Amino acid sequence: MTAARTPIRILLLDDHTLFRESLREALETESELSVVGETGRPEAAVDMILSSEPDIVLVDAHTPEALAERVRQIGDLKTKSRLLVLTWHEDPWLIRSAVTSGVGGYVLKSITRLELVCAIRSLFARERRIVMMVSADTLTYALQTGRSGAEGISRREREALILASQGLSNAQIGRRLSITEGTVKRHLSNVYMKLGAASRVDAVNKAMMATLIPSVLGGSM
């Protein structure tokens, strides 16, 4: 008989209470996994990480910007806890930002329970491994160097960024440009990645510094 394994200790940080509860129940069907805490508040998560020292922290947030901030905040703790992003946000700039911040993995909520358990096991067993479960196109785009910067931003992406700088919502931008809200989100995500921006405000500021917005305003807009 082999000795019983020490359970992998997991902390859940997610805004949705029902999802956290369901995820906890699903994970705890695995004898080798133990959820040591769950919360929707980053401040509480920090306290839990410092006090319970989980092996893995599963994290998500409502928006890409909030998720990026949570990743940075937890990364700054410099603990031994590995960070696994479990999210619906398949944004290239966010993936690149997360990897740069030292996350152990980035997986989408569309995966199965078995795939998530495998990701957790792999992350726990191999300290220097990064677990990725996103589309090949998104990952390729996310890992590009972005050397083209502002020069690589398309006309449509510029138009979306200009309207965003004027305070319009994604839905309003979509109506103005006659495109779907999902397409607007994709355009802005591409802009964030190309400019190395962490948020809409950051993207607008960097675009202004690169004279990207004035050049468009003086053109066909």
Side-chain angles (χ1 to χ4, degrees):
M1 296 291 291
T2 58
R5 295 183 183 179
T6 301
I8 301 173
R9 297 161 52 80
I10 301 169
L11 175 67
L12 309 178
L13 172 57
D14 193 292
D15 295 324
H16 297 96
T17 303
L18 182 59
F19 175 79
R20 291 198 316 269
E21 293 175 347
S22 299
L23 181 58
R24 178 172 197 152
E25 292 177 1
L27 292 178
E28 290 192 330
T29 62
E30 303 289 332
S31 59
E32 66 197 275
L33 305 181
S34 174
V35 178
V36 297
E38 59 175 87
T39 182
R41 298 186 298 112
E43 319 82 53
V46 169
D47 292 338
M48 290 179 181
I49 292 170
L50 294 176
S51 62
S52 62
E53 298 182 344
D55 300 302
I56 307 289
V57 179
L58 291 178
V59 59
D60 193 17
H62 281 304
T63 66
E65 295 83 1
L67 179 54
E69 178 58 30
R70 289 184 180 185
V71 168
R72 284 192 294 267
Q73 185 178 21
I74 296 173
D76 287 344
L77 297 178
K78 305 299 182 184
T79 66
K80 294 182 179 180
S81 300
R82 304 295 306 281
L83 196 57
L84 178 58
V85 174
L86 175 62
T87 183
W88 287 114
H89 304 305
E90 194 174 9
D91 296 297
W93 75 269
L94 179 57
I95 294 173
R96 190 171 67 173
S97 174
V99 171
T100 302
S101 298
V103 300
Y106 196 107
V107 300
L108 299 179
K109 287 182 175 178
S110 55
I111 65 174
T112 66
R113 179 182 63 83
L114 179 59
E115 288 172 326
L116 177 58
V117 171
C118 288
I120 292 172
R121 288 172 179 162
S122 180
L123 191 57
F124 177 75
R126 298 170 177 84
E127 183 177 348
R128 297 186 60 81
R129 169 169 290 189
I130 297 179
V131 178
M132 284 284 174
M133 292 186 186
V134 297
S135 71
D137 289 342
T138 298
L139 184 58
T140 298
Y141 200 14
L143 298 181
Q144 289 176 346
T145 60
R147 286 174 293 180
S148 59
E151 296 178 0
I153 293 176
S154 71
R155 174 178 172 274
R156 207 53 158 170
E157 290 167 352
R158 292 179 186 219
E159 291 172 346
L161 181 61
I162 289 170
L163 295 176
S165 72
Q166 296 170 1
L168 274 67
S169 68
N170 289 342
Q172 291 171 324
I173 294 172
R175 288 194 293 270
R176 187 76 65 88
L177 298 179
S178 299
I179 57 179
T180 67
E181 186 173 352
T183 300
V184 174
K185 291 180 180 179
R186 185 164 61 252
H187 284 330
L188 293 179
S189 292
N190 292 343
V191 170
Y192 299 162
M193 192 277 294
K194 292 174 182 179
L195 294 178
S199 67
R200 178 176 296 206
V201 173
D202 190 24
V204 169
N205 289 336
K206 288 184 176 181
M208 292 178 65
M209 291 178 64
T211 68
L212 174 63
I213 292 179
S215 68
V216 178
L217 287 174
S220 58
M221 289 292 292

